[in-house]
């Protein structure tokens, strides 16, 4: 028999049904809304004025019972419960009797089991709804002339995804009263131009066009680099006592002053392994102008270090040299490293990617080259994969994609903010705007607002109409 109050917990993308785990839900109490009001008291006036009203946290108490056949089984099931209700982040509760009202909670106090019999126990578990609202399942509809119906009693926030079919200087969504916008509408005398012009793109499908190089820093060139049609990897690192590995270089087709380099790569290894993935930018004389590295430096640590350098090893500047917030931030790294120069201003960026979180674990940096350390134009890109001594190299060291962009500037022009094939997403739940999954919030116009969808019927529009292939909006109905 299943408890009529049974529910499931969703955390870390997994669902746990309490009944299936042998847990009986005897009660679940959810407190009322908890308004927090800022009041102004005026001398000589009865009562007070309200200046602000917000919703505070709500408390949840879950009462459960567990029945087992032995002391050992009881302790095992108690451990399951402890693990189930503990999480560093919020998790969701979906009640069987009200599946369209989802709670987001965290454990807020310690608890213990009281003995009912030798092998049975009961406990009251104290939780907090940091977000005081109930949510329905996600809904999605095309963005057209039909209304978007929020069936909840409270405002909720949409995520709008827009597919671009033509270059445009702005992308906007609006509800008739408020608008959110990236880019600039522009004026009649402003000429649109491509600020970031892609001049080199190699998807690492062939080594044809790549050649030998003599440029190396911090080690030696040895071994063999191959491709499987999708990425570059090493089949042999050669022999030696220090850092070494195969290297190849290729012309980018022109000499460029202001540029951006984007590299997709993987650095995946375990205990007892070290290795490094490196991509350099060279000038016409084969001198290093910039480089990026993703390195497992120690066989005893899981940390992967990102190093992004303006200039060469001797005189250059490390814009980023970090393992992230902790040793696990970029462990088993699959993501992107970027370096950019405009004038004497350098920018660096690293982020990892996975299907569940998208682009995350981001880190950026900026440096102004006032001393003229790295000013030469770039003409070539070079790849190298490294091993060290007799220590086994990391399991996966691969370069998946390299792009080089020429950064243009037109004084009387207006840059395109999105180009044909791009996907722009306005996420009003997180106050973030992305372009092809990357954060573009810095392009948000000052007038832009992360507006909600009101309870009832709403009409949203996306602009410019002639530049949009399609658009869709997602949301979750919300209740107090």
């Amino acid at each position: 028999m299943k408890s009529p109050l049974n529910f499931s917990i969703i955390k870390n993308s997994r669902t746990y049904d309490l009944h299936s785990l042998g847990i009986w839900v005897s009660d679940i109490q959810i407190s009322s809304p908890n308004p927090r009001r800022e009041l102004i008291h005026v001398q000589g006036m009865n009562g007070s004025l309200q200046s602000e009203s917000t919703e505070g946290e709500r408390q949840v108490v879950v009462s459960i019972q567990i029945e087992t056949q032995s002391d050992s089984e009881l302790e095992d099931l108690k451990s399951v419960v402890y693990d189930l209700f503990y999480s560093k982040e919020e998790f969701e509760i979906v009640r069987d009797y009200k599946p369209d009202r989802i709670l987001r909670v965290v454990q807020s106090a310690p608890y213990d089991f009281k003995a009912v019999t030798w092998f049975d126990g009961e406990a009251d578990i104290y939780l907090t709804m940091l977000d005081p609202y109930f949510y329905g399942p996600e809904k999605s509809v095309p963005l057209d002339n039909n209304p978007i119906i929020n069936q909840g009693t409270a405002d909720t926030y949409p995520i709008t995804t827009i597919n671009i079919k033509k270059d445009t200087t702005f992308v906007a969504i609006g509800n008739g009263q408020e608008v959110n916008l990236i880019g600039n509408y522009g004026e009649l005398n402003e000429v649109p131009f491509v600020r970031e012009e892609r001049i080199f793109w190699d998807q690492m499908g062939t080594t044809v066009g790549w050649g030998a190089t003599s440029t190396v820093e911090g080690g030696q060139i040895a071994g063999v680099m191959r491709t499987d049609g999708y990425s570059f990897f090493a089949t042999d690192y050669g022999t030696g006592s220090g850092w070494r590995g195969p290297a190849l270089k290729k012309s980018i087709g022109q000499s460029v002053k202001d540029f951006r380099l984007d590299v997709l790569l993987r650095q995946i290894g375990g205990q007892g392994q070290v290795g490094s993935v490196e991509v350099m930018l060279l000038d016409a004389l084969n001198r290093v102008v910039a480089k990026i590295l993703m390195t497992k430096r120690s066989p005893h640590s899981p940390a992967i270090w990102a190093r992004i350098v303006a200039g060469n090893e001797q005189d250059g500047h490390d814009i980023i040299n970090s393992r992230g917030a902790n040793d696990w931030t970029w462990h088993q790294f699959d993501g992107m490293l970027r370096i950019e120069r405009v004038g004497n201003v350098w920018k660096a960026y690293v982020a990892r990617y996975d299907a569940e979180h998208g682009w995350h674990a981001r880190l950026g940096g900026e440096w102004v080259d006032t001393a003229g350390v790295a000013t030469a134009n770039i003409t070539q890109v070079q790849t190298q994969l490294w091993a060290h001594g007799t220590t086994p190299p990391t399991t996966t060291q691969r370069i998946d994609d390299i792009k080089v962009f020429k950064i243009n500037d037109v004084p009387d022009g207006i840059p395109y903010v999105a180009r044909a094939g791009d996907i722009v997403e306005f996420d009003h739940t997180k106050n973030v705007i992305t372009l092809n999954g990357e954060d573009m919030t810095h392009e948000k116009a000052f007038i832009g607002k992360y507006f909600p969808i009101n309870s009832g019927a709403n009409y949203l529009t996306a602009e410019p109409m002639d530049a949009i292939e399609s658009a869709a909006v997602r949301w979750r109905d919300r209740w107090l």
Side-chain angles (χ1 to χ4, degrees):
M1 179 180 176
K2 180 185 285 191
S3 166
L5 299 177
N6 186 66
F7 60 82
S8 296
I9 286 176
I10 301 175
K11 70 174 186 176
N12 301 326
S13 301
R14 297 183 63 181
T15 300
Y16 304 88
D17 178 82
L18 267 65
H19 174 75
S20 298
L21 295 171
I23 302 168
W24 177 270
V25 181
S26 53
D27 193 19
I28 179 168
Q29 299 177 26
I30 304 170
S31 70
S32 71
N34 176 25
R36 295 184 299 199
R37 307 190 190 279
E38 296 286 340
L39 303 178
I40 300 174
H41 302 279
V42 180
Q43 186 175 1
M45 187 185 79
N46 296 326
S48 58
L49 300 174
Q50 178 175 288
S51 64
E52 185 178 8
S53 178
T54 58
E55 296 297 331
E57 302 88 352
R58 297 169 73 169
Q59 303 306 312
V60 179
V61 181
V62 175
S63 301
I64 62 170
Q65 297 178 355
I66 54 176
E67 298 180 0
T68 63
Q69 302 300 315
S70 68
D71 286 336
S72 176
E73 187 180 342
L74 177 62
E75 289 303 313
D76 287 344
L77 191 50
K78 285 166 65 175
S79 295
V80 168
V81 172
Y82 293 149
D83 181 67
L84 191 61
F85 283 91
Y86 173 77
S87 176
K88 291 183 179 180
E89 307 293 337
E90 292 175 289
F91 59 88
E92 294 186 343
I93 288 179
V94 183
R95 296 166 292 170
D96 290 3
Y97 63 93
K98 201 64 174 173
D100 62 342
R101 301 288 195 276
I102 299 168
L103 297 74
R104 295 173 175 168
V105 298
V106 292
Q107 181 185 331
S108 53
Y111 61 94
D112 198 1
F113 281 84
K114 294 177 286 187
V116 177
T117 68
W118 285 108
F119 307 139
D120 305 332
E122 61 184 16
D124 294 330
I125 301 171
Y126 298 91
L127 309 170
T128 298
M129 294 172 62
L130 303 178
D131 180 342
Y133 292 91
F134 297 92
Y135 287 85
E138 184 175 86
K139 297 180 179 180
S140 178
V141 297
L143 195 59
D144 51 26
N145 294 324
N146 294 313
I148 296 163
I149 308 298
N150 172 12
Q151 295 180 321
T153 57
D155 293 348
T156 191
Y157 288 86
I159 302 172
T160 307
T161 304
I162 301 172
N163 293 282
I164 305 298
K165 67 179 181 181
K166 188 177 78 171
D167 296 356
T168 177
T169 63
F170 76 95
V171 182
I173 57 168
N175 63 2
Q177 297 178 319
E178 296 173 299
V179 67
N180 207 351
L181 169 76
I182 58 170
N184 197 307
Y185 291 119
E187 299 179 1
L188 291 176
N189 62 337
E190 291 181 314
V191 179
F193 72 95
V194 178
R195 181 180 184 273
E196 297 174 344
E197 177 187 356
R198 191 179 68 213
I199 60 170
F200 178 91
W201 185 12
D202 199 303
Q203 295 174 291
M204 322 314 288
T206 178
T207 56
V208 175
W210 292 82
T213 178
S214 59
T215 303
V216 63
E217 292 188 324
Q220 65 183 41
I221 297 172
V224 180
M225 192 179 299
R226 301 289 190 200
T227 179
D228 58 3
Y230 302 97
S231 58
F232 280 13
F233 61 97
T235 56
D236 178 19
Y237 290 95
T239 59
S241 59
W243 287 103
R244 70 195 183 280
L248 295 171
K249 70 174 181 177
K250 188 176 185 179
S251 170
I252 63 173
Q254 56 183 281
S255 177
V256 178
K257 177 66 174 177
D258 296 332
F259 64 85
R260 191 185 90 206
L261 168 71
D262 289 355
V263 180
L264 300 180
L265 61 86
R266 284 172 281 170
Q267 178 57 276
I268 299 172
Q271 185 74 10
Q273 299 177 334
V274 297
S276 187
V277 180
E278 178 180 76
V279 178
M280 289 180 173
L281 292 172
L282 309 179
D283 67 10
L285 299 177
N286 295 316
R287 295 173 302 196
V288 178
V289 179
K291 64 180 179 179
I292 63 97
L293 302 97
M294 207 67 180
T295 308
K296 188 174 188 295
R297 297 178 178 176
S298 170
H300 310 296
S301 169
I304 303 293
W305 287 76
R307 185 170 176 231
I308 303 180
V309 186
N312 60 35
E313 193 69 28
Q314 181 177 350
D315 303 317
H317 178 83
D318 286 8
I319 308 170
I320 289 176
N321 189 355
S322 172
R323 66 178 180 27
N326 55 59
D327 283 355
W328 300 96
T329 301
W330 295 320
H331 177 61
Q332 313 293 50
F333 182 84
D334 185 347
M336 180 175 68
L337 275 72
R338 168 183 293 162
I339 188 167
E340 173 185 308
R341 180 182 69 190
V342 178
N344 68 346
V345 179
W346 289 79
K347 294 180 180 179
Y349 173 80
V350 56
R352 70 184 304 164
Y353 182 85
D354 60 61
E356 180 181 353
H357 303 100
W359 292 103
H360 64 111
R362 301 178 179 92
L363 179 65
E366 184 172 318
W367 174 65
V368 180
D369 183 8
T370 56
V373 168
T375 60
N377 285 16
I378 62 167
T379 63
Q380 305 166 82
V381 61
Q382 177 172 310
T383 62
Q384 186 156 12
L385 301 173
W386 297 91
H388 188 276
T390 58
T391 305
T394 47
T395 306
T396 302
Q397 296 195 128
R398 288 179 178 255
I399 301 171
D400 297 315
D401 189 278
I402 299 176
K403 295 185 182 75
V404 179
F405 297 84
K406 177 183 177 182
I407 300 180
N408 302 305
D409 184 31
V410 178
D412 296 326
I414 179 171
Y416 290 116
V417 73
R419 306 197 66 190
D422 285 344
I423 300 175
V424 177
E425 185 167 272
F426 293 85
D427 187 343
H428 289 198
T429 68
K430 298 179 180 177
N431 292 355
V432 171
I433 305 170
T434 60
L435 177 70
N436 302 325
E438 289 189 54
D439 194 338
M440 283 286 289
T441 309
H442 62 278
E443 293 286 352
K444 176 180 167 293
F446 179 75
I447 63 171
K449 304 292 184 183
Y450 294 102
F451 56 80
I453 294 175
N454 300 322
S455 178
N458 299 260
Y459 291 88
L460 301 186
T461 57
E463 295 181 318
M465 296 291 292
D466 64 337
I468 295 175
E469 179 72 32
S470 62
V473 60
R474 313 193 309 273
W475 77 98
R476 299 176 72 170
D477 296 338
R478 199 163 71 150
W479 297 263
L480 266 178

